[in-house]
mmCIF file of all heavy atoms in Angstrom:
data_model
loop_
_atom_site.group_PDB
_atom_site.id
_atom_site.type_symbol
_atom_site.label_atom_id
_atom_site.label_comp_id
_atom_site.label_asym_id
_atom_site.label_seq_id
_atom_site.Cartn_x
_atom_site.Cartn_y
_atom_site.Cartn_z
ATOM 1 N N THR O 21 -11.374 -12.068 -37.992
ATOM 2 C CA THR O 21 -11.448 -13.351 -38.673
ATOM 3 C C THR O 21 -10.952 -14.632 -37.733
ATOM 4 O O THR O 21 -11.122 -15.695 -38.238
ATOM 5 C CB THR O 21 -10.369 -13.362 -39.925
ATOM 6 O OG1 THR O 21 -9.065 -13.288 -39.386
ATOM 7 C CG2 THR O 21 -10.882 -12.232 -40.849
ATOM 8 N N LEU O 22 -10.582 -14.297 -36.607
ATOM 9 C CA LEU O 22 -10.214 -15.409 -35.708
ATOM 10 C C LEU O 22 -11.359 -16.284 -35.370
ATOM 11 O O LEU O 22 -12.536 -15.820 -35.240
ATOM 12 C CB LEU O 22 -9.677 -14.811 -34.299
ATOM 13 C CG LEU O 22 -8.244 -14.172 -34.370
ATOM 14 C CD1 LEU O 22 -7.945 -13.671 -32.988
ATOM 15 C CD2 LEU O 22 -7.254 -15.203 -34.821
ATOM 16 N N SER O 23 -11.049 -17.610 -35.312
ATOM 17 C CA SER O 23 -12.051 -18.515 -34.931
ATOM 18 C C SER O 23 -11.709 -19.254 -33.553
ATOM 19 O O SER O 23 -10.451 -19.189 -33.224
ATOM 20 C CB SER O 23 -12.222 -19.677 -36.036
ATOM 21 O OG SER O 23 -10.951 -20.405 -36.233
ATOM 22 N N GLY O 24 -12.575 -19.826 -32.852
ATOM 23 C CA GLY O 24 -12.328 -20.474 -31.716
ATOM 24 C C GLY O 24 -12.201 -19.578 -30.517
ATOM 25 O O GLY O 24 -11.723 -19.989 -29.454
ATOM 26 N N VAL O 25 -12.542 -18.246 -30.717
ATOM 27 C CA VAL O 25 -12.515 -17.207 -29.541
ATOM 28 C C VAL O 25 -13.884 -16.621 -29.598
ATOM 29 O O VAL O 25 -14.584 -16.525 -30.565
ATOM 30 C CB VAL O 25 -11.512 -16.266 -29.650
ATOM 31 C CG1 VAL O 25 -10.012 -16.873 -29.689
ATOM 32 C CG2 VAL O 25 -11.552 -15.552 -30.994
ATOM 33 N N SER O 26 -14.250 -16.124 -28.358
ATOM 34 C CA SER O 26 -15.601 -15.462 -28.258
ATOM 35 C C SER O 26 -15.578 -14.144 -28.739
ATOM 36 O O SER O 26 -14.623 -13.393 -28.900
ATOM 37 C CB SER O 26 -16.021 -15.501 -26.765
ATOM 38 O OG SER O 26 -15.141 -14.681 -26.065
ATOM 39 N N ASP O 27 -16.774 -13.603 -29.009
ATOM 40 C CA ASP O 27 -16.971 -12.230 -29.421
ATOM 41 C C ASP O 27 -16.430 -11.232 -28.297
ATOM 42 O O ASP O 27 -15.968 -10.130 -28.631
ATOM 43 C CB ASP O 27 -18.409 -11.948 -29.713
ATOM 44 C CG ASP O 27 -18.847 -12.719 -31.076
ATOM 45 O OD1 ASP O 27 -17.978 -12.998 -31.881
ATOM 46 O OD2 ASP O 27 -20.084 -12.783 -31.280
ATOM 47 N N GLU O 28 -16.745 -11.733 -27.001
ATOM 48 C CA GLU O 28 -16.292 -10.880 -25.980
ATOM 49 C C GLU O 28 -14.758 -10.678 -25.904
ATOM 50 O O GLU O 28 -14.171 -9.556 -25.663
ATOM 51 C CB GLU O 28 -16.767 -11.497 -24.580
ATOM 52 C CG GLU O 28 -16.305 -10.741 -23.391
ATOM 53 C CD GLU O 28 -16.617 -11.332 -22.137
ATOM 54 O OE1 GLU O 28 -16.904 -12.481 -22.083
ATOM 55 O OE2 GLU O 28 -16.706 -10.623 -20.961
ATOM 56 N N PHE O 29 -14.038 -11.850 -26.144
ATOM 57 C CA PHE O 29 -12.576 -11.735 -26.260
ATOM 58 C C PHE O 29 -12.185 -10.756 -27.354
ATOM 59 O O PHE O 29 -11.251 -9.930 -27.202
ATOM 60 C CB PHE O 29 -12.004 -13.195 -26.622
ATOM 61 C CG PHE O 29 -10.429 -13.153 -26.845
ATOM 62 C CD1 PHE O 29 -9.587 -13.062 -25.841
ATOM 63 C CD2 PHE O 29 -10.013 -13.048 -28.149
ATOM 64 C CE1 PHE O 29 -8.253 -13.063 -26.101
ATOM 65 C CE2 PHE O 29 -8.671 -13.012 -28.461
ATOM 66 C CZ PHE O 29 -7.740 -13.065 -27.493
ATOM 67 N N LYS O 30 -12.760 -10.911 -28.469
ATOM 68 C CA LYS O 30 -12.391 -10.027 -29.631
ATOM 69 C C LYS O 30 -12.716 -8.617 -29.215
ATOM 70 O O LYS O 30 -11.783 -7.670 -29.621
ATOM 71 C CB LYS O 30 -13.285 -10.404 -30.762
ATOM 72 C CG LYS O 30 -12.990 -11.675 -31.526
ATOM 73 C CD LYS O 30 -13.824 -11.995 -32.735
ATOM 74 C CE LYS O 30 -13.485 -13.334 -33.319
ATOM 75 N NZ LYS O 30 -14.400 -13.666 -34.477
ATOM 76 N N GLU O 31 -13.693 -8.314 -28.545
ATOM 77 C CA GLU O 31 -13.996 -6.830 -28.183
ATOM 78 C C GLU O 31 -12.959 -6.292 -27.172
ATOM 79 O O GLU O 31 -12.494 -5.269 -27.423
ATOM 80 C CB GLU O 31 -15.451 -6.892 -27.594
ATOM 81 C CG GLU O 31 -15.821 -5.313 -27.198
ATOM 82 C CD GLU O 31 -17.235 -5.376 -26.675
ATOM 83 O OE1 GLU O 31 -17.781 -6.452 -26.353
ATOM 84 O OE2 GLU O 31 -17.759 -4.193 -26.471
ATOM 85 N N LEU O 32 -12.638 -7.248 -26.229
ATOM 86 C CA LEU O 32 -11.646 -6.666 -25.180
ATOM 87 C C LEU O 32 -10.248 -6.651 -25.790
ATOM 88 O O LEU O 32 -9.577 -5.728 -25.519
ATOM 89 C CB LEU O 32 -11.699 -7.716 -24.033
ATOM 90 C CG LEU O 32 -12.927 -7.778 -23.166
ATOM 91 C CD1 LEU O 32 -12.842 -8.764 -22.050
ATOM 92 C CD2 LEU O 32 -13.204 -6.384 -22.541
ATOM 93 N N GLU O 33 -9.939 -7.548 -26.716
ATOM 94 C CA GLU O 33 -8.620 -7.480 -27.310
ATOM 95 C C GLU O 33 -8.488 -6.287 -28.320
ATOM 96 O O GLU O 33 -7.477 -5.632 -28.351
ATOM 97 C CB GLU O 33 -8.397 -8.738 -28.141
ATOM 98 C CG GLU O 33 -6.944 -8.863 -28.822
ATOM 99 C CD GLU O 33 -5.793 -8.827 -27.900
ATOM 100 O OE1 GLU O 33 -6.045 -8.846 -26.675
ATOM 101 O OE2 GLU O 33 -4.654 -8.701 -28.415
ATOM 102 N N SER O 34 -9.726 -5.958 -28.898
ATOM 103 C CA SER O 34 -9.636 -4.763 -29.720
ATOM 104 C C SER O 34 -9.389 -3.410 -28.872
ATOM 105 O O SER O 34 -8.711 -2.580 -29.213
ATOM 106 C CB SER O 34 -10.947 -4.604 -30.499
ATOM 107 O OG SER O 34 -11.013 -3.503 -31.257
ATOM 108 N N ALA O 35 -9.955 -3.456 -27.740
ATOM 109 C CA ALA O 35 -9.863 -2.338 -26.788
ATOM 110 C C ALA O 35 -8.380 -2.229 -26.329
ATOM 111 O O ALA O 35 -7.861 -1.144 -26.203
ATOM 112 C CB ALA O 35 -10.808 -2.466 -25.570
ATOM 113 N N ARG O 36 -7.804 -3.518 -26.102
ATOM 114 C CA ARG O 36 -6.444 -3.394 -25.678
ATOM 115 C C ARG O 36 -5.413 -2.808 -26.790
ATOM 116 O O ARG O 36 -4.543 -2.062 -26.426
ATOM 117 C CB ARG O 36 -6.016 -4.835 -25.259
ATOM 118 C CG ARG O 36 -4.515 -4.907 -24.706
ATOM 119 C CD ARG O 36 -3.966 -6.336 -24.783
ATOM 120 N NE ARG O 36 -3.853 -6.857 -26.109
ATOM 121 C CZ ARG O 36 -2.857 -6.411 -26.899
ATOM 122 N NH1 ARG O 36 -1.875 -5.698 -26.540
ATOM 123 N NH2 ARG O 36 -2.740 -6.964 -28.075
ATOM 124 N N ILE O 37 -5.695 -3.294 -27.935
ATOM 125 C CA ILE O 37 -4.872 -2.761 -29.014
ATOM 126 C C ILE O 37 -5.046 -1.248 -29.250
ATOM 127 O O ILE O 37 -4.041 -0.395 -29.392
ATOM 128 C CB ILE O 37 -5.356 -3.473 -30.381
ATOM 129 C CG1 ILE O 37 -4.942 -4.940 -30.310
ATOM 130 C CG2 ILE O 37 -4.600 -2.880 -31.598
ATOM 131 C CD1 ILE O 37 -5.524 -5.880 -31.471
ATOM 132 N N LYS O 38 -6.274 -0.829 -29.168
ATOM 133 C CA LYS O 38 -6.535 0.708 -29.256
ATOM 134 C C LYS O 38 -5.859 1.433 -27.990
ATOM 135 O O LYS O 38 -5.166 2.450 -28.362
ATOM 136 C CB LYS O 38 -8.034 0.976 -29.275
ATOM 137 C CG LYS O 38 -8.732 0.507 -30.587
ATOM 138 C CD LYS O 38 -10.296 0.593 -30.411
ATOM 139 C CE LYS O 38 -10.848 0.137 -31.671
ATOM 140 N NZ LYS O 38 -12.395 0.134 -31.612
ATOM 141 N N ALA O 39 -5.863 0.884 -26.953
ATOM 142 C CA ALA O 39 -5.182 1.434 -25.684
ATOM 143 C C ALA O 39 -3.702 1.488 -25.910
ATOM 144 O O ALA O 39 -3.092 2.375 -25.497
ATOM 145 C CB ALA O 39 -5.704 0.767 -24.527
ATOM 146 N N ASP O 40 -3.093 0.325 -26.541
ATOM 147 C CA ASP O 40 -1.742 0.333 -26.711
ATOM 148 C C ASP O 40 -1.271 1.337 -27.721
ATOM 149 O O ASP O 40 -0.204 1.978 -27.537
ATOM 150 C CB ASP O 40 -1.389 -0.985 -27.234
ATOM 151 C CG ASP O 40 -1.013 -1.982 -26.137
ATOM 152 O OD1 ASP O 40 -0.475 -1.618 -25.075
ATOM 153 O OD2 ASP O 40 -1.143 -3.220 -26.306
ATOM 154 N N VAL O 41 -2.131 1.722 -28.706
ATOM 155 C CA VAL O 41 -1.718 2.720 -29.637
ATOM 156 C C VAL O 41 -1.640 4.084 -28.942
ATOM 157 O O VAL O 41 -0.853 4.839 -29.065
ATOM 158 C CB VAL O 41 -2.725 2.683 -30.856
ATOM 159 C CG1 VAL O 41 -2.513 3.975 -31.646
ATOM 160 C CG2 VAL O 41 -2.640 1.416 -31.682
ATOM 161 N N ILE O 42 -2.660 4.243 -28.111
ATOM 162 C CA ILE O 42 -2.676 5.600 -27.380
ATOM 163 C C ILE O 42 -1.556 5.700 -26.489
ATOM 164 O O ILE O 42 -0.855 6.707 -26.287
ATOM 165 C CB ILE O 42 -4.031 5.576 -26.450
ATOM 166 C CG1 ILE O 42 -5.258 5.736 -27.381
ATOM 167 C CG2 ILE O 42 -3.982 6.737 -25.519
ATOM 168 C CD1 ILE O 42 -6.524 5.640 -26.628
ATOM 169 N N ASN O 43 -1.134 4.475 -25.708
ATOM 170 C CA ASN O 43 -0.014 4.486 -24.837
ATOM 171 C C ASN O 43 1.284 4.823 -25.545
ATOM 172 O O ASN O 43 2.115 5.465 -25.064
ATOM 173 C CB ASN O 43 0.134 3.031 -24.336
ATOM 174 C CG ASN O 43 0.883 3.073 -23.006
ATOM 175 O OD1 ASN O 43 0.637 3.857 -22.106
ATOM 176 N ND2 ASN O 43 1.747 2.106 -22.844
ATOM 177 N N SER O 44 1.372 4.342 -26.845
ATOM 178 C CA SER O 44 2.550 4.702 -27.705
ATOM 179 C C SER O 44 2.588 6.062 -27.972
ATOM 180 O O SER O 44 3.797 6.768 -27.918
ATOM 181 C CB SER O 44 2.575 3.897 -28.928
ATOM 182 O OG SER O 44 2.540 2.485 -28.758
ATOM 183 N N TYR O 45 1.524 6.747 -28.320
ATOM 184 C CA TYR O 45 1.470 8.215 -28.449
ATOM 185 C C TYR O 45 1.912 9.029 -27.250
ATOM 186 O O TYR O 45 2.691 10.005 -27.279
ATOM 187 C CB TYR O 45 0.033 8.684 -28.921
ATOM 188 C CG TYR O 45 -0.242 8.396 -30.344
ATOM 189 C CD1 TYR O 45 -1.572 7.972 -30.720
ATOM 190 C CD2 TYR O 45 0.552 8.780 -31.335
ATOM 191 C CE1 TYR O 45 -1.923 7.637 -32.007
ATOM 192 C CE2 TYR O 45 0.320 8.463 -32.694
ATOM 193 C CZ TYR O 45 -1.012 8.060 -33.048
ATOM 194 O OH TYR O 45 -1.291 7.793 -34.359
#
Side-chain angles (χ1 to χ4, degrees):
T21 63
L22 285 180
S23 60
V25 297
S26 66
D27 290 340
E28 181 183 16
F29 171 83
K30 292 180 180 179
E31 183 179 7
L32 292 178
E33 181 63 7
S34 175
R36 184 196 65 79
I37 294 170
K38 291 174 181 177
D40 268 330
V41 172
I42 293 173
N43 200 49
S44 297
Y45 279 138

